[in-house]
Amino acid sequence: FSSALFGSGRLMGLSATQQEQVLLCFTEALVGLVVCTTPLAADEAVVVKGVRRFAIASGTAHHFAFHAPVRGRLRPAVLVAVDAGAPPGPQQFEGEHLRRELFKALAGFQAWRGAVCSDGAQAVLATGLWGCGGFSGGQPIFRMLLQLLAAAAAGIHLRFCLPADIELKWFAGVLCEINSRQPTAQQLCEIMSSERPCRNPRFASDVPAYASLV
């Protein structure tokens, strides 16, 4: 997760977006603030290789808290930064925005896979609710499906890390339904951007309501 300008969020005060949390735990990645000085284009992502984790933390936003320094030697990580578009409300479901987010996520996932998998091995990327934090406009189920479509096209697996206060049953139910129906990418995109969510503001934030569409 990232702003269009890598690391442009505040690293102090009351802000604790996912981008800032990662940079504070993998402090070597802060060098990217010096290197990446122009906003990302629609087909660009930032990949940071070989960074080590120095801090263990938990929580999000105002509940974000430092627990302890990392002890021992951990395997260096490969981070990928992609910026989410910021159309709030029903606009996020429109075809233009859907395509933008799909291509942006695909750019990031392909770049990450190229940095991690040199021998054709299966890659697993840890992710979360991309686009649901900084501007608080993302529908969580919609954002999960966006990433699943991009990951399938990029040939990687995802491990979703969800906040503790989210009801997992809605996400699990949607995934079970998709696994049962086996829709094509085009069919799933048509469901995600159908007329109902585009016309009803409720679907932008109501997880159970949007989950019922799939």
Side-chain angles (χ1 to χ4, degrees):
F1 311 123
S2 176
S3 305
L5 184 59
F6 180 76
S8 63
R10 296 182 302 167
L11 295 177
M12 60 178 61
L14 299 177
S15 180
T17 64
Q18 292 165 322
Q19 171 187 224
E20 293 153 7
Q21 293 174 35
V22 171
L23 291 176
L24 289 171
C25 291
F26 295 85
T27 49
E28 293 172 327
L30 288 168
V31 175
L33 275 67
V34 179
V35 178
C36 305
T37 57
T38 58
L40 294 172
D43 59 348
E44 290 181 331
V46 174
V47 174
V48 187
K49 296 178 64 175
V51 290
R52 295 166 293 174
R53 183 170 194 149
F54 288 94
I56 298 174
S58 67
T60 58
H62 300 297
H63 301 290
F64 179 65
F66 169 80
H67 284 302
V70 172
R71 305 191 183 281
R73 297 180 64 86
L74 295 181
R75 186 176 177 180
V78 178
L79 307 178
V80 61
V82 287
D83 58 301
Q91 284 184 314
Q92 65 186 295
F93 306 123
E94 295 175 359
E96 177 184 353
H97 295 300
L98 172 64
R99 287 189 293 273
R100 187 272 179 195
E101 300 299 80
L102 277 176
F103 287 128
K104 170 60 72 167
L106 180 59
F109 292 167
Q110 287 179 329
W112 181 85
R113 187 177 189 277
V116 172
C117 300
S118 57
D119 57 358
Q122 182 62 58
V124 180
L125 173 65
T127 185
L129 298 180
W130 174 55
C132 294
F135 48 86
S136 300
Q139 160 57 249
I141 298 291
F142 179 73
R143 305 304 302 190
M144 177 185 72
L145 295 176
L146 277 171
Q147 293 183 80
L148 287 175
L149 284 168
I156 67 172
H157 287 180
L158 297 179
R159 177 181 293 123
F160 278 95
C161 304
L162 301 177
D165 59 348
I166 280 208
E167 290 192 73
L168 300 181
K169 65 179 181 180
W170 301 113
F171 295 84
V174 168
L175 293 177
C176 287
E177 193 67 22
I178 291 174
N179 188 54
S180 173
R181 292 188 183 183
Q182 295 289 309
T184 65
Q186 181 177 348
Q187 289 172 334
L188 187 54
C189 285
E190 290 173 354
I191 293 172
M192 293 166 63
S193 60
S194 61
E195 186 176 354
R196 283 183 67 197
C198 288
R199 291 181 176 273
N200 190 337
R202 175 188 175 190
F203 289 100
S205 57
D206 191 323
V207 169
Y210 191 83
S212 68
L213 290 174
V214 182

